[in-house]
Amino acid sequence: MEWRHKHLFDIDDWSREDIESVLNLASEFERRLDSKESLPSLKGRTLVNFFLESSTRTRVSFEIAAKLLGINVMNWATASSSMAVKGESLKDTVWTLESMGVDMIVIRSSWVGAPQYIARKARRARVINAGDGTHAHPTQALLDIYTAWKRFGSLEGKRVLIAGDIVQSRVARSDIIGFKKMGAYVFVSGPRNMVPLHLDALGVSYEPDFIKAVKEADVIYLLRVQKERWKASAIPSDYEYHMNFGCREEVLKEAKPEAIVMHPGPINRGVELSSEVADGPQSLILEQVRNGVMVRTALLYLYLGGER
Amino acid sequence: MIILKGVKLFDGERLREGLYDLLIEGRIVKRIVPTGNMNMFEGAKVIDLSGKIACPGFIDIHVHLREPGGEWREEIKSGALAGAYGGFTTIVAMPNTNPPIDSPELVRFVKLTGERAKGAKVLPAGSVSKGREGKELTEMARMVKEGAVLFTEDGSPTVRTDLLRSAMLYAKDLGVRIMEHPEDPYLSENGQINEGKVSAISGLKGIPATSELIDVERCIALSRELDVPIHITHVSTALAIRAIRKAKEEGVKVTCDVTPHHLTLDESKILESGYDSVYKVRPPLRSLEDVEALWDALRNGVIDAIATDHAPYHIDEKDLPFEEAPSGIASLECAVAVVLDAWEKRNRPVSLDRLLRLFTSGPSRVLPESYRSLGYLREGGFADITVIDLDKVSRVDVSTWKSKARLTPWNGLSLKGWPILTMVEGEIINDI
Ligand SMILES: [Zn+2]
């Protein structure tokens, strides 16, 4: 199977078939692992986790995924993005990595567009975006879709609520694109000052009443309030946020019984959701983490041109 | 002696009927006569320009020359040459250097260094406050004596309204005006691009149009109250244009300029290019509707000048991921062509007279009274002349630039309509 994309910046230029290929492959890999069959091998390939912004969970997820395929993994993490890179320019670092024989650069950065920049400078290596600033997080979106798809079979017509700090969320942007491509209806909720003013550009609607939104949803996707990114104070207090936009037991009681609760992690217990909900029967938060490995394994396989 | 032969003549106000010969003697335009009627002077150099348009030398009231303190980006000399090669005979150097131009000595330094450059005339702008700290007024009177023609905190707004008000009143009797970079610092903080569709899609922090509008309204309110003129630079939004238009209709003495990039590029370029930092500029590239509003404003006379806001950076500083790169587009050497090309592609929505005024008599009116003659081409005046050829097609090639900047959105593009000769006080600088 020939994969037509060279780099993965976001899934906005993907077709629904592209997404389905990844879901099917992830599912096949998961089945093989569960029945102790071996996965195909991409031995001899080298991947670098180039993390300019720290994220242990995403990095480890890629690392495990790569190792399942026998890919060599290096970690090139820089403690804090900006200053550390300025000494050695980003472009020089990319060329250095390529000279060391790296086939794939998995980049996490606080800068929107950093993956595109690296891909423009790279001569050979493929680039996967593991999160760029407040823009996109395509592998997260794919694992979220995979998780909901496994639960519901089809996402056609399903109502996906994304709630919280939308304006600062790369996860929200990629999830909106991905779930819509899969035929779901996506809408958002949260304090109005945390929702982009030009929401029409994202093609979703806004429901200010969180409880009303929860009642309608099949997927309740909660986002973390990214306090560190807000210059002027955005919420009066964690408690007020929790009482108005937090997914609490009383709120979840209003939801459809088959509705699922998801979160990209790390979670703030007692803010966007309560422990009872996070650890409750409708929560798929831990399953998301496991699915992340499977989806990333499928992506590495496709992007590094493995045969099926 | 030089004779420019067979030119169309734009005198600063209008394009005259017929063709003319211009006799330049020393630094002065000696004679302007219908073509063929000029006695051939012994030893005069005759330049045949049949059908090209001779204009008063173009004036750019907003350029960054980076000296002192940023010489690796641009020097006064390289900037003055870049200006002349771009068709400008006069450029106003912004004061946000390091140190800022906040004293008579530094004004003199810019002026003298400019004179030695033998390019476009360099007129210094001074900062409104000492050290650009926004606290104490600079010695404006002494600075004007040394040649400062405008005062501005450009690069940022004059944050304290009391300081701005005080500066406007103080400057009034010196015959100079304050140029305001319109922005609300809190609304724009950490902003990367226009707040709108592209910021919603990309997640890049948006700078709302109201950030500009709020400061424009503040300037208008002060100008109205004090009856003192003010100039608002690089206006980029339909909202601000509407406010300025209303103020002008009321008789408020407000003037404004727009840049070639805001007239020709919109925010969608940022997505299309995969977040290429050449499109990062402040104020940010706005929506298509804003671009249309700017052209409307050119047409109906709300805009007084086109100014480049030429902001050179070294390639190592600017060739970075979008969020890390500094803001600024370098354009001195192609700005005139960028505007003429867009004007042609839009089927000439503005009359040629009006368009050329925006480069000549328009900006000269923003300068002190004593510089007014710069915007006009007349017998007896200084021979500051820009000749343009509306049909010339040429490719932008940064490797030939006199400017030290090497990143520009137009590099490699073919543009139609170029300045082909720049003469500063009788001296031909750029003759292509
Ligand atoms: Zn400027």
Side-chain angles (χ1 to χ4, degrees):
Chain A
M1 176 186 166
E2 188 65 43
W3 184 245
R4 67 188 178 95
H5 303 282
K6 183 164 186 212
H7 305 292
L8 175 53
F9 302 137
D10 197 1
I11 49 176
D12 51 353
D13 59 345
W14 281 31
S15 65
R16 181 162 171 172
E17 288 68 40
D18 289 335
I19 298 179
E20 283 167 349
S21 308
V22 172
L23 302 182
N24 288 322
L25 190 57
S27 158
E28 189 191 323
F29 284 177
E30 192 174 1
R31 185 193 56 76
R32 286 204 211 174
L33 276 182
D34 288 345
S35 58
K36 310 270 184 243
E37 288 173 46
S38 62
L39 294 188
S41 169
L42 289 176
K43 233 181 159 79
R45 301 305 186 91
T46 304
L47 173 151
V48 62
N49 271 322
F50 185 33
F51 274 48
L52 299 175
E53 182 187 83
S54 59
S55 162
T56 309
R57 53 174 63 214
T58 305
R59 183 178 56 73
V60 170
S61 182
F62 269 105
E63 195 164 338
I64 296 172
K67 284 180 174 158
L68 287 175
L69 295 169
I71 298 168
N72 297 320
V73 184
M74 310 193 296
N75 288 309
W76 186 297
T78 320
S80 70
S81 63
S82 224
M83 297 324 287
V85 183
K86 269 186 182 145
E88 185 179 12
S89 88
L90 190 50
K91 141 175 105 179
D92 288 329
T93 310
V94 172
W95 291 340
T96 302
L97 292 171
E98 281 199 314
S99 303
M100 292 174 180
V102 164
D103 301 296
M104 175 168 282
I105 300 171
V106 174
I107 163 86
R108 157 67 69 98
S109 153
S110 58
W111 304 318
V112 172
Q116 286 91 333
Y117 178 84
I118 286 172
R120 280 198 289 274
K121 300 301 166 193
R123 288 149 180 170
R124 197 174 54 81
R126 300 192 160 216
V127 176
I128 285 187
N129 181 7
D132 65 325
T134 43
H135 174 224
H137 197 352
T139 63
Q140 176 74 43
L142 290 164
L143 79 87
D144 291 337
I145 292 166
Y146 183 60
T147 305
W149 176 76
K150 275 208 305 186
R151 170 58 65 98
F152 292 118
S154 163
L155 296 178
E156 194 68 52
K158 286 281 178 283
R159 299 179 82 80
V160 178
L161 164 66
I162 300 179
D165 189 355
I166 310 287
V167 76
Q168 310 276 4
S169 175
R170 55 184 165 219
V171 172
R173 283 186 181 76
S174 291
D175 272 17
I176 287 169
I177 294 168
F179 275 105
K180 284 182 67 183
K181 278 187 199 274
M182 292 302 290
Y185 171 82
V186 183
F187 64 122
V188 302
S189 184
R192 200 177 282 272
N193 58 350
M194 292 188 165
V195 173
L197 210 50
H198 299 263
L199 205 56
D200 51 319
L202 300 176
V204 294
S205 58
Y206 170 59
E207 173 51 68
D209 182 339
F210 180 64
I211 296 185
K212 219 171 130 194
V214 164
K215 278 184 190 167
E216 284 180 32
D218 298 295
V219 175
I220 302 163
Y221 197 106
L222 303 161
L223 298 169
R224 192 170 67 85
V225 175
Q226 312 220 31
K227 273 191 233 157
E228 67 282 6
R229 292 188 191 266
W230 285 93
K231 270 276 172 186
S233 130
I235 55 168
S237 74
D238 286 354
Y239 182 67
E240 175 159 314
Y241 185 90
H242 190 57
M243 294 315 287
N244 282 287
F245 296 98
C247 196
R248 298 170 286 124
E249 256 190 319
E250 303 88 287
V251 173
L252 197 59
K253 275 196 194 111
E254 305 280 331
K256 299 178 188 174
E258 69 279 12
I260 57 174
V261 174
M262 294 170 69
H263 190 294
I267 57 183
N268 286 325
R269 291 168 184 267
V271 187
E272 64 268 11
L273 81 180
S274 66
S275 281
E276 291 83 353
V277 171
D279 309 331
Q282 283 170 277
S283 165
L284 295 185
I285 296 172
L286 287 175
E287 206 176 308
Q288 282 173 275
V289 177
R290 172 183 155 84
N291 289 336
V293 174
M294 300 325 304
V295 163
R296 288 177 178 121
T297 309
L299 288 167
L300 295 181
Y301 184 80
L302 289 170
Y303 277 91
L304 286 172
E307 295 296 320
R308 286 191 84 170
Chain B
M1 278 184 294
I2 299 172
I3 294 170
L4 304 182
K5 196 169 164 3
V7 293
K8 291 182 183 158
L9 183 69
F10 174 75
D11 61 13
E13 286 297 335
R14 60 193 53 82
L15 198 63
R16 298 215 201 133
E17 293 284 318
L19 298 178
Y20 295 83
D21 295 343
L22 274 56
L23 173 68
I24 288 99
E25 202 179 301
R27 301 155 70 192
I28 304 294
V29 179
K30 192 81 178 174
R31 301 255 288 135
I32 300 177
V33 296
T35 193
N37 295 342
M38 185 84 77
N39 300 324
M40 284 304 121
F41 294 92
E42 193 73 18
K45 178 180 174 186
V46 178
I47 304 175
D48 197 335
L49 290 166
S50 52
K52 312 295 188 276
I53 306 169
C55 312
F58 283 8
I59 302 166
D60 185 350
I61 53 174
H62 191 148
V63 303
H64 295 273
L65 298 184
R66 309 300 191 197
E67 187 180 353
E71 288 81 358
W72 67 92
R73 297 172 176 165
E74 194 79 285
E75 290 170 25
I76 292 171
K77 181 171 180 160
S78 62
L81 284 171
Y85 274 74
F88 296 98
T89 59
T90 300
I91 58 179
V92 178
M94 292 297 107
N96 60 335
T97 48
N98 185 19
I101 310 304
D102 65 350
S103 67
E105 293 73 23
L106 283 164
V107 170
R108 191 185 315 141
F109 163 77
V110 173
K111 182 104 183 159
L112 289 175
T113 313
E115 279 164 15
R116 280 198 293 268
K118 307 246 176 275
K121 293 177 184 173
V122 177
L123 305 183
S127 61
V128 175
S129 67
K130 287 179 188 151
R132 286 184 78 241
E133 285 174 351
K135 291 181 193 140
E136 287 174 79
L137 288 183
T138 52
E139 293 176 317
M140 289 189 187
R142 295 181 63 208
M143 290 164 77
V144 167
K145 282 207 185 87
E146 294 293 346
V149 296
L150 284 171
F151 288 88
T152 180
E153 299 284 81
D154 183 64
S156 35
T158 313
V159 178
R160 291 192 62 127
T161 309
D162 54 350
L163 185 84
L164 176 59
R165 190 173 186 273
S166 180
M168 287 169 70
L169 285 170
Y170 193 77
K172 180 175 187 174
D173 300 311
L174 301 174
V176 289
R177 68 183 78 189
I178 307 298
M179 176 198 260
E180 174 70 353
H181 163 127
E183 186 173 9
D184 178 292
Y186 300 108
L187 283 178
S188 327
E189 197 168 3
N190 294 335
Q192 296 278 329
I193 61 170
N194 183 43
E195 166 135 353
K197 286 186 176 150
V198 179
S199 67
I201 290 169
S202 66
L204 284 168
K205 182 145 190 329
I207 300 174
T210 49
S211 169
E212 179 168 284
L213 176 67
I214 284 165
D215 197 4
V216 166
E217 293 280 26
R218 182 179 70 137
C219 291
I220 290 169
L222 291 173
S223 176
R224 182 192 291 119
E225 178 196 34
L226 308 175
D227 193 32
V228 172
I230 190 162
H231 181 79
I232 299 168
T233 194
H234 48 53
V235 173
S236 65
T237 60
L239 280 179
I241 289 291
R242 189 168 22 144
I244 292 166
R245 182 177 188 168
K246 266 184 58 192
K248 283 189 163 190
E249 283 165 3
E250 274 178 48
V252 178
K253 291 170 181 155
V254 55
T255 50
C256 69
D257 66 69
V258 292
T259 71
H261 48 271
H262 289 109
L263 283 169
T264 55
L265 305 170
D266 71 274
E267 58 184 348
S268 66
K269 282 277 185 277
I270 294 157
L271 286 186
E272 269 169 39
S273 67
Y275 308 99
D276 190 332
S277 67
V278 295
Y279 296 105
K280 184 169 176 179
V281 63
R282 208 173 181 101
L285 298 179
R286 302 287 190 178
S287 71
L288 267 180
E289 294 74 39
D290 290 311
V291 174
E292 291 308 317
L294 297 185
W295 279 94
D296 264 344
L298 289 187
R299 187 163 38 232
N300 59 34
V302 174
I303 290 166
D304 299 276
I306 293 174
T308 61
D309 193 8
H310 173 71
Y313 285 98
H314 190 270
I315 191 161
D316 289 343
E317 293 172 289
K318 182 79 178 166
D319 180 16
L320 288 173
F322 197 89
E323 288 200 77
E324 273 293 279
S327 299
I329 282 175
S331 65
L332 256 183
E333 271 150 289
C334 62
V336 170
V338 164
V339 173
L340 292 177
D341 180 79
W343 175 71
E344 182 75 37
K345 285 206 175 88
R346 287 172 168 262
N347 291 320
R348 307 187 172 197
V350 186
S351 73
L352 186 57
D353 284 353
R354 177 153 272 168
L355 188 71
L356 294 176
R357 266 180 246 150
L358 295 166
F359 286 110
T360 55
S361 54
S364 89
R365 270 195 285 267
V366 175
L367 301 176
E369 188 77 39
S370 51
Y371 291 85
R372 201 64 29 106
S373 65
L374 286 180
Y376 297 88
L377 183 49
R378 310 190 169 110
E379 283 186 356
F382 275 130
D384 285 352
I385 299 172
T386 297
V387 179
I388 57 170
D389 178 353
L390 293 179
D391 297 318
K392 182 187 164 101
V393 176
S394 185
R395 191 176 290 274
V396 179
D397 178 2
V398 292
S399 69
T400 66
W401 276 13
K402 302 293 170 193
S403 167
K404 290 187 166 186
R406 285 293 173 269
L407 280 177
T408 194
W410 299 283
N411 189 35
L413 295 184
S414 271
L415 301 174
K416 186 177 175 192
W418 284 85
I420 53 167
L421 184 149
T422 311
M423 180 184 282
V424 181
E425 294 194 7
E427 207 71 58
I428 294 173
I429 313 276
N430 176 24
D431 175 11
I432 301 157

